[in-house]
Coordinates of all heavy atoms in Angstrom, one line a residue:
M757 N -12.3 -10.0 -5.0 CA -11.2 -9.3 -4.1 C -10.2 -8.6 -5.0 O -9.9 -7.5 -4.8 CB -10.5 -10.4 -3.3 CG -9.8 -9.9 -2.1 SD -11.0 -9.3 -0.8 CE -9.8 -9.0 0.5
S758 N -9.7 -9.3 -6.0 CA -8.7 -8.7 -6.9 C -9.3 -7.6 -7.7 O -8.6 -6.6 -8.1 CB -8.0 -9.7 -7.7 OG -8.9 -10.4 -8.5
D759 N -10.6 -7.7 -8.1 CA -11.2 -6.6 -8.9 C -11.1 -5.3 -8.2 O -10.9 -4.3 -8.8 CB -12.7 -7.0 -9.1 CG -12.8 -8.1 -10.1 OD1 -11.8 -8.5 -10.8 OD2 -13.9 -8.7 -10.2
E760 N -11.3 -5.3 -6.9 CA -11.3 -4.1 -6.1 C -9.9 -3.4 -6.2 O -9.8 -2.2 -6.4 CB -11.6 -4.5 -4.7 CG -11.7 -3.3 -3.7 CD -12.0 -3.7 -2.3 OE1 -12.5 -4.8 -2.1 OE2 -11.5 -3.0 -1.4
I761 N -8.9 -4.2 -6.1 CA -7.5 -3.7 -6.2 C -7.2 -3.1 -7.6 O -6.6 -2.1 -7.7 CB -6.5 -4.8 -5.8 CG1 -6.7 -5.2 -4.3 CG2 -5.1 -4.3 -6.0 CD1 -6.4 -4.1 -3.3
Q762 N -7.6 -3.9 -8.6 CA -7.2 -3.5 -10.0 C -7.8 -2.2 -10.4 O -7.3 -1.5 -11.3 CB -7.6 -4.6 -10.9 CG -6.6 -5.8 -10.8 CD -7.2 -7.1 -11.3 OE1 -8.4 -7.2 -11.6 NE2 -6.5 -8.2 -11.2
T763 N -8.9 -1.8 -9.8 CA -9.5 -0.5 -10.2 C -9.3 0.6 -9.2 O -9.9 1.6 -9.2 CB -11.1 -0.7 -10.4 OG1 -11.6 -1.2 -9.2 CG2 -11.4 -1.7 -11.5
A764 N -8.4 0.3 -8.2 CA -8.2 1.2 -7.1 C -7.5 2.5 -7.5 O -6.7 2.5 -8.5 CB -7.4 0.5 -6.0
V765 N -7.8 3.5 -6.8 CA -7.0 4.7 -6.9 C -6.1 4.8 -5.7 O -6.3 4.2 -4.7 CB -7.9 6.0 -7.0 CG1 -8.8 5.9 -8.3 CG2 -8.8 6.1 -5.8
C766 N -5.1 5.7 -5.8 CA -4.1 5.9 -4.8 C -4.7 6.1 -3.4 O -5.7 6.8 -3.3 CB -3.3 7.1 -5.2 SG -2.0 7.5 -4.1
S767 N -4.1 5.5 -2.4 CA -4.7 5.6 -1.0 C -4.3 7.0 -0.3 O -4.9 7.3 0.7 CB -4.1 4.5 -0.1 OG -4.5 3.3 -0.5
R768 N -3.4 7.7 -1.0 CA -3.1 9.0 -0.4 C -4.3 9.9 -0.5 O -4.9 10.0 -1.5 CB -1.9 9.6 -1.3 CG -1.6 11.0 -0.9 CD -0.6 11.1 0.3 NE -0.1 12.4 0.4 CZ -0.5 13.3 1.4 NH1 -1.4 13.0 2.2 NH2 0.1 14.4 1.4
A769 N -4.5 10.6 0.7 CA -5.7 11.5 0.8 C -5.7 12.5 -0.3 O -4.7 13.2 -0.5 CB -5.7 12.1 2.1
G770 N -6.7 12.7 -1.1 CA -6.8 13.7 -2.1 C -6.3 13.3 -3.4 O -6.4 14.1 -4.4
C771 N -5.6 12.2 -3.5 CA -5.0 11.8 -4.8 C -6.0 10.8 -5.5 O -6.5 9.9 -4.9 CB -3.7 11.1 -4.6 SG -2.9 10.5 -6.1
R772 N -6.2 11.1 -6.8 CA -7.2 10.3 -7.6 C -6.5 9.6 -8.7 O -7.1 9.1 -9.6 CB -8.3 11.2 -8.1 CG -9.1 11.9 -7.0 CD -10.2 12.7 -7.5 NE -11.2 11.8 -8.1 CZ -12.2 11.2 -7.4 NH1 -12.2 11.3 -6.1 NH2 -13.1 10.5 -8.1
A773 N -5.2 9.5 -8.6 CA -4.4 8.8 -9.7 C -4.6 7.3 -9.5 O -4.9 6.8 -8.4 CB -2.9 9.1 -9.5
A774 N -4.5 6.6 -10.6 CA -4.6 5.1 -10.6 C -3.5 4.5 -9.9 O -2.3 5.0 -10.0 CB -4.6 4.6 -12.1
A775 N -3.8 3.6 -9.0 CA -2.8 2.9 -8.2 C -1.9 2.0 -9.1 O -2.4 1.3 -9.9 CB -3.4 2.1 -7.1
R776 N -0.6 2.1 -8.8 CA 0.3 1.2 -9.5 C 1.1 0.3 -8.6 O 1.8 -0.6 -9.0 CB 1.4 2.1 -10.2 CG 0.8 3.1 -11.2 CD 0.5 2.5 -12.6 NE 1.7 2.0 -13.2 CZ 1.7 1.2 -14.3 NH1 0.6 0.9 -14.8 NH2 2.9 0.8 -14.8
W777 N 0.9 0.5 -7.3 CA 1.7 -0.2 -6.3 C 0.8 -0.7 -5.2 O -0.1 0.0 -4.8 CB 2.8 0.6 -5.7 CG 3.8 1.1 -6.8 CD1 3.7 2.2 -7.5 CD2 4.9 0.4 -7.3 NE1 4.7 2.3 -8.5 CE2 5.5 1.1 -8.3 CE3 5.5 -0.9 -7.0 CZ2 6.6 0.8 -9.0 CZ3 6.6 -1.3 -7.7 CH2 7.2 -0.5 -8.7
R778 N 1.1 -1.8 -4.7 CA 0.4 -2.4 -3.5 C 1.3 -2.3 -2.3 O 2.5 -2.7 -2.4 CB 0.0 -3.8 -3.7 CG -0.7 -4.5 -2.6 CD -0.6 -6.0 -2.7 NE -1.0 -6.5 -4.0 CZ -2.2 -7.0 -4.2 NH1 -3.1 -7.1 -3.2 NH2 -2.6 -7.3 -5.4
I779 N 0.8 -1.7 -1.2 CA 1.6 -1.5 0.0 C 1.0 -2.3 1.1 O -0.1 -2.0 1.5 CB 1.7 -0.1 0.4 CG1 2.4 0.7 -0.7 CG2 2.5 0.1 1.7 CD1 2.4 2.3 -0.5
E780 N 1.6 -3.4 1.5 CA 1.1 -4.2 2.6 C 1.8 -3.9 3.9 O 3.1 -3.9 3.9 CB 1.2 -5.7 2.2 CG 0.3 -6.1 1.0 CD 0.2 -7.6 0.8 OE1 1.2 -8.3 1.1 OE2 -0.8 -8.0 0.3
W781 N 1.1 -3.7 4.9 CA 1.7 -3.4 6.2 C 0.9 -3.9 7.3 O -0.2 -4.4 7.2 CB 1.8 -1.8 6.2 CG 0.5 -1.1 6.2 CD1 -0.2 -0.8 5.1 CD2 -0.2 -0.7 7.4 NE1 -1.4 -0.2 5.5 CE2 -1.4 -0.1 6.8 CE3 0.0 -0.7 8.7 CZ2 -2.4 0.5 7.7 CZ3 -1.0 -0.1 9.6 CH2 -2.1 0.5 9.0
R782 N 1.5 -3.7 8.5 CA 0.9 -4.3 9.7 C 1.4 -3.4 10.9 O 2.5 -3.0 10.9 CB 1.4 -5.7 9.9 CG 0.8 -6.4 11.1 CD 1.3 -7.9 11.1 NE 2.7 -8.0 11.3 CZ 3.2 -8.1 12.5 NH1 2.5 -8.1 13.6 NH2 4.5 -8.2 12.7
N783 N 0.4 -3.1 11.8 CA 0.8 -2.5 13.0 C 1.0 -3.5 14.1 O 0.0 -4.1 14.6 CB -0.3 -1.5 13.4 CG 0.0 -0.7 14.7 OD1 0.9 -1.1 15.4 ND2 -0.7 0.3 14.9
P784 N 2.2 -3.8 14.5 CA 2.5 -4.9 15.5 C 1.8 -4.7 16.8 O 1.5 -5.7 17.5 CB 4.0 -4.8 15.6 CG 4.5 -4.1 14.5 CD 3.4 -3.1 14.1
R785 N 1.4 -3.5 17.1 CA 0.8 -3.2 18.4 C -0.7 -3.6 18.4 O -1.2 -4.0 19.5 CB 0.9 -1.7 18.7 CG 2.3 -1.2 19.0 CD 2.3 0.2 19.4 NE 3.7 0.7 19.3 CZ 4.3 1.2 18.3 NH1 3.7 1.2 17.1 NH2 5.5 1.6 18.3
I786 N -1.4 -3.6 17.3 CA -2.8 -3.9 17.3 C -3.2 -5.1 16.4 O -4.3 -5.6 16.5 CB -3.6 -2.7 16.9 CG1 -3.3 -2.2 15.5 CG2 -3.4 -1.6 18.0 CD1 -4.2 -1.1 15.1
H787 N -2.2 -5.4 15.5 CA -2.6 -6.5 14.5 C -1.9 -7.8 14.9 O -0.7 -7.8 15.3 CB -2.1 -6.1 13.1 CG -2.9 -4.9 12.5 ND1 -2.3 -3.9 11.7 CD2 -4.2 -4.5 12.7 CE1 -3.2 -3.0 11.4 NE2 -4.3 -3.3 12.0
A788 N -2.6 -8.9 14.6 CA -2.0 -10.2 14.9 C -0.9 -10.4 13.9 O -0.8 -9.8 12.9 CB -3.1 -11.3 14.7
E789 N -0.1 -11.4 14.2 CA 1.1 -11.7 13.4 C 0.8 -12.0 11.9 O 1.6 -11.6 11.0 CB 1.8 -13.0 13.9 CG 3.2 -13.2 13.4 CD 4.2 -12.1 13.8 OE1 4.1 -11.6 14.9 OE2 5.0 -11.8 12.9
D790 N -0.3 -12.6 11.6 CA -0.7 -12.9 10.2 C -1.6 -11.9 9.5 O -2.1 -12.1 8.5 CB -1.3 -14.3 10.1 CG -2.5 -14.4 11.0 OD1 -2.8 -13.5 11.7 OD2 -3.3 -15.4 10.8
R791 N -1.9 -10.8 10.2 CA -2.8 -9.8 9.7 C -2.0 -8.8 8.8 O -0.9 -8.5 9.0 CB -3.3 -9.0 10.9 CG -4.3 -7.9 10.5 CD -5.7 -8.4 10.4 NE -6.6 -7.3 10.0 CZ -7.2 -6.4 10.8 NH1 -7.0 -6.6 12.1 NH2 -7.9 -5.5 10.4
R792 N -2.7 -8.5 7.7 CA -2.1 -7.5 6.8 C -3.1 -6.5 6.4 O -4.2 -6.8 6.1 CB -1.5 -8.2 5.5 CG -0.4 -9.1 5.7 CD 0.9 -8.3 6.1 NE 2.0 -9.2 6.2 CZ 2.3 -10.0 7.3 NH1 1.5 -9.9 8.3 NH2 3.3 -10.7 7.4
K793 N -2.7 -5.2 6.4 CA -3.5 -4.1 5.8 C -2.9 -3.8 4.4 O -1.7 -3.9 4.2 CB -3.4 -2.9 6.7 CG -3.9 -3.1 8.1 CD -5.4 -3.0 8.1 CE -5.9 -1.6 7.9 NZ -7.4 -1.5 8.0
T794 N -3.8 -3.5 3.5 CA -3.3 -3.2 2.1 C -3.7 -1.8 1.7 O -4.9 -1.4 1.8 CB -3.9 -4.2 1.1 OG1 -3.5 -5.5 1.5 CG2 -3.3 -3.8 -0.3
W795 N -2.7 -1.0 1.4 CA -2.9 0.3 0.7 C -2.5 0.1 -0.7 O -1.7 -0.8 -1.1 CB -2.1 1.4 1.3 CG -2.6 1.9 2.7 CD1 -3.7 1.5 3.3 CD2 -1.9 2.8 3.5 NE1 -3.8 2.2 4.5 CE2 -2.8 3.0 4.7 CE3 -0.7 3.5 3.5 CZ2 -2.4 3.8 5.7 CZ3 -0.4 4.3 4.5 CH2 -1.2 4.5 5.6
V796 N -2.9 1.0 -1.6 CA -2.4 1.1 -3.0 C -2.0 2.5 -3.2 O -2.5 3.4 -2.7 CB -3.5 0.6 -4.0 CG1 -3.8 -0.9 -3.8 CG2 -4.8 1.4 -3.9
A797 N -1.0 2.6 -4.1 CA -0.4 3.9 -4.4 C 0.0 4.1 -5.8 O 0.3 3.2 -6.5 CB 0.9 4.1 -3.5
C798 N -0.1 5.4 -6.3 CA 0.4 5.7 -7.6 C 1.9 5.9 -7.5 O 2.5 5.8 -6.5 CB -0.3 7.1 -8.0 SG 0.2 8.5 -7.1
D799 N 2.5 6.1 -8.7 CA 4.0 6.2 -8.7 C 4.5 7.3 -7.8 O 5.5 7.2 -7.1 CB 4.4 6.5 -10.2 CG 4.2 5.2 -11.1 OD1 4.2 4.1 -10.5 OD2 4.2 5.4 -12.3
E800 N 3.7 8.4 -7.8 CA 4.2 9.6 -7.1 C 4.2 9.4 -5.6 O 5.0 9.9 -4.9 CB 3.3 10.8 -7.5 CG 3.7 12.1 -6.9 CD 2.8 13.2 -7.3 OE1 2.0 13.0 -8.2 OE2 2.9 14.3 -6.7
H801 N 3.2 8.6 -5.1 CA 3.0 8.5 -3.6 C 3.5 7.2 -3.0 O 3.3 7.0 -1.8 CB 1.5 8.8 -3.3 CG 1.1 10.2 -3.6 ND1 0.0 10.5 -4.4 CD2 1.6 11.4 -3.1 CE1 -0.1 11.8 -4.4 NE2 0.9 12.4 -3.7
R802 N 4.0 6.4 -3.8 CA 4.5 5.1 -3.3 C 5.5 5.3 -2.2 O 5.4 4.8 -1.1 CB 5.1 4.2 -4.4 CG 5.7 2.9 -3.9 CD 6.6 2.3 -5.0 NE 7.7 3.2 -5.3 CZ 8.6 3.0 -6.2 NH1 8.6 2.0 -7.0 NH2 9.6 3.9 -6.4
D803 N 6.5 6.1 -2.5 CA 7.6 6.3 -1.5 C 7.0 7.1 -0.2 O 7.4 6.8 0.9 CB 8.7 7.1 -2.1 CG 9.5 6.3 -3.1 OD1 9.2 5.0 -3.2 OD2 10.4 6.8 -3.8
Y804 N 6.1 8.0 -0.5 CA 5.5 8.8 0.6 C 4.8 7.8 1.6 O 5.0 7.9 2.8 CB 4.6 9.8 0.1 CG 3.8 10.5 1.1 CD1 4.3 11.7 1.7 CD2 2.6 10.0 1.6 CE1 3.6 12.3 2.7 CE2 1.9 10.6 2.6 CZ 2.4 11.8 3.2 OH 1.6 12.4 4.2
L805 N 4.0 7.0 1.1 CA 3.2 6.1 1.9 C 4.1 5.0 2.6 O 3.9 4.7 3.8 CB 2.1 5.4 1.1 CG 1.0 6.3 0.6 CD1 0.1 5.6 -0.4 CD2 0.2 6.9 1.8
R806 N 5.1 4.5 1.9 CA 6.0 3.6 2.5 C 6.8 4.2 3.6 O 6.9 3.6 4.7 CB 6.9 3.0 1.4 CG 7.9 2.0 1.9 CD 9.0 1.7 0.9 NE 9.7 2.9 0.7 CZ 10.5 3.2 -0.4 NH1 10.6 2.2 -1.3 NH2 11.1 4.3 -0.5
D807 N 7.3 5.4 3.4 CA 8.0 6.1 4.4 C 7.2 6.4 5.6 O 7.6 6.4 6.8 CB 8.7 7.3 3.9 CG 9.8 7.0 2.9 OD1 10.2 5.8 2.8 OD2 10.3 7.9 2.2
F808 N 5.9 6.8 5.3 CA 5.0 7.1 6.4 C 4.8 5.9 7.4 O 4.8 6.1 8.6 CB 3.6 7.4 5.7 CG 2.5 7.7 6.7 CD1 2.2 9.0 7.2 CD2 1.7 6.6 7.1 CE1 1.2 9.2 8.0 CE2 0.6 6.9 8.0 CZ 0.4 8.2 8.5
L809 N 4.8 4.7 6.8 CA 4.6 3.5 7.6 C 6.0 3.2 8.3 O 6.0 2.8 9.5 CB 4.1 2.4 6.8 CG 2.7 2.6 6.3 CD1 2.4 1.7 5.1 CD2 1.7 2.4 7.4
R810 N 7.0 3.3 7.5 CA 8.3 2.9 8.1 C 8.8 3.7 9.3 O 9.4 3.3 10.2 CB 9.4 3.0 7.0 CG 9.4 1.8 6.1 CD 10.7 1.8 5.2 NE 10.7 0.6 4.4 CZ 11.5 0.5 3.3 NH1 12.2 1.5 2.9 NH2 11.4 -0.6 2.6
T811 N 8.4 5.0 9.2 CA 8.8 5.9 10.3 C 8.1 5.5 11.6 O 8.4 5.9 12.7 CB 8.5 7.4 10.0 OG1 7.1 7.5 9.7 CG2 9.4 7.8 8.9
R812 N 7.0 4.7 11.5 CA 6.3 4.2 12.6 C 6.7 2.8 13.0 O 6.1 2.2 13.9 CB 4.8 4.2 12.4 CG 4.2 5.6 12.4 CD 2.9 5.7 11.6 NE 2.3 7.0 11.8 CZ 2.8 8.1 11.2 NH1 3.8 8.1 10.4 NH2 2.2 9.3 11.4
D813 N 7.8 2.3 12.4 CA 8.3 1.0 12.6 C 7.3 -0.1 12.3 O 7.3 -1.1 13.0 CB 8.8 0.9 14.1 CG 10.0 1.7 14.4 OD1 10.8 1.9 13.4 OD2 10.2 2.2 15.5
F814 N 6.5 0.1 11.3 CA 5.6 -0.9 10.9 C 6.3 -1.7 9.8 O 7.0 -1.2 8.9 CB 4.3 -0.3 10.3 CG 3.4 0.4 11.2 CD1 2.3 1.1 10.8 CD2 3.7 0.4 12.6 CE1 1.5 1.7 11.7 CE2 2.9 1.1 13.5 CZ 1.8 1.8 13.0
P815 N 6.1 -3.1 9.8 CA 6.6 -3.8 8.7 C 5.9 -3.5 7.4 O 4.6 -3.4 7.4 CB 6.3 -5.3 9.1 CG 6.0 -5.3 10.5 CD 5.5 -3.9 10.8
V816 N 6.6 -3.2 6.3 CA 6.0 -2.7 5.1 C 6.6 -3.5 3.9 O 7.8 -3.8 3.9 CB 6.3 -1.2 4.8 CG1 5.7 -0.7 3.5 CG2 5.9 -0.4 6.0
E817 N 5.7 -3.9 3.0 CA 6.2 -4.6 1.8 C 5.5 -3.9 0.6 O 4.3 -3.8 0.6 CB 5.8 -6.1 1.9 CG 6.4 -6.8 0.7 CD 6.2 -8.3 0.9 OE1 5.9 -8.8 2.0 OE2 6.4 -9.1 -0.1
V818 N 6.3 -3.5 -0.4 CA 5.7 -2.9 -1.6 C 5.9 -3.8 -2.8 O 7.0 -4.3 -3.0 CB 6.4 -1.5 -1.8 CG1 5.9 -0.9 -3.1 CG2 6.3 -0.6 -0.7
T819 N 4.8 -4.0 -3.5 CA 4.9 -4.9 -4.7 C 4.2 -4.2 -5.8 O 3.2 -3.4 -5.6 CB 4.3 -6.2 -4.4 OG1 2.9 -6.1 -4.0 CG2 5.1 -7.0 -3.4
P820 N 4.6 -4.4 -7.1 CA 3.9 -3.8 -8.2 C 2.4 -4.4 -8.3 O 2.2 -5.5 -8.0 CB 4.7 -4.3 -9.4 CG 6.0 -4.7 -8.9 CD 5.7 -5.2 -7.5
L821 N 1.5 -3.5 -8.7 CA 0.1 -3.9 -8.8 C -0.1 -4.3 -10.3 O 0.1 -3.4 -11.2 CB -0.7 -2.7 -8.4 CG -2.2 -2.9 -8.1 CD1 -2.4 -3.8 -6.9 CD2 -2.8 -1.6 -7.8
A822 N -0.5 -5.5 -10.5 CA -0.8 -5.9 -11.9 C -2.0 -5.2 -12.4 O -3.0 -5.0 -11.8 CB -1.0 -7.4 -11.9
Q823 N -1.9 -4.7 -13.6 CA -2.9 -4.0 -14.3 C -3.7 -4.9 -15.3 O -3.0 -5.6 -16.0 CB -2.4 -2.8 -15.0 CG -1.7 -1.8 -14.1 CD -2.6 -1.1 -13.1 OE1 -3.6 -0.5 -13.5 NE2 -2.3 -1.2 -11.8
V824 N -5.0 -4.8 -15.3 CA -5.8 -5.6 -16.2 C -5.4 -5.1 -17.7 O -5.4 -3.9 -17.9 CB -7.3 -5.4 -15.9 CG1 -8.1 -6.1 -17.0 CG2 -7.6 -5.9 -14.5
G825 N -5.2 -6.0 -18.5 CA -5.0 -5.7 -19.9 C -3.6 -5.3 -20.3 O -3.3 -5.1 -21.5
E826 N -2.7 -5.2 -19.3 CA -1.4 -4.9 -19.6 C -0.5 -6.1 -19.7 O -0.7 -7.0 -18.9 CB -0.8 -4.0 -18.6 CG -1.1 -2.5 -18.7 CD -0.3 -1.6 -17.8 OE1 0.7 -2.1 -17.2 OE2 -0.7 -0.5 -17.6
P827 N 0.4 -6.2 -20.6 CA 1.3 -7.4 -20.7 C 2.1 -7.5 -19.4 O 2.5 -6.4 -18.9 CB 2.2 -7.1 -21.9 CG 1.9 -5.8 -22.4 CD 0.7 -5.2 -21.7
A828 N 2.4 -8.7 -19.0 CA 3.1 -8.9 -17.7 C 4.6 -8.4 -17.9 O 5.1 -8.5 -19.0 CB 3.1 -10.3 -17.4
Ligands
ZN760 ZN1 -1.1 9.2 -5.4

């Protein structure tokens, strides 16, 4: 599961940059209370994707994505 995230590229359409951020969100209209969707984003698109979800009133949480081989 984590391998998939660590090698992920940005979720923004057309962007192939390495993801640096994890964006967890939920659509309250269709998702159960404990359901989470995960996007990943590069530095450039983190705010774009977060704002995209926030403008839809979705709960959004952004956390740094740990990179393999990098010091914590
Ligand atoms: Zn990007």
Side-chain angles (χ1 to χ4, degrees):
M757 201 65 174
S758 58
D759 288 348
E760 184 183 332
I761 295 293
Q762 282 155 359
T763 57
V765 295
C766 180
S767 295
R768 174 81 168 104
C771 179
R772 301 185 65 83
R776 302 277 300 169
W777 300 91
R778 179 199 306 263
I779 300 171
E780 294 189 330
W781 62 278
R782 182 173 69 88
N783 181 345
R785 294 182 190 86
I786 61 172
H787 294 145
E789 191 67 38
D790 60 349
R791 180 85 182 277
R792 292 293 182 278
K793 298 281 286 182
T794 300
W795 285 354
V796 292
C798 66
D799 289 338
E800 185 180 348
H801 292 125
R802 177 194 61 185
D803 290 352
Y804 172 90
L805 292 170
R806 184 192 57 199
D807 291 349
F808 176 90
L809 294 163
R810 277 193 179 161
T811 57
R812 284 157 176 77
D813 290 329
F814 294 173
V816 181
E817 187 173 347
V818 178
T819 54
L821 197 60
Q823 298 294 306
V824 177
E826 277 189 18

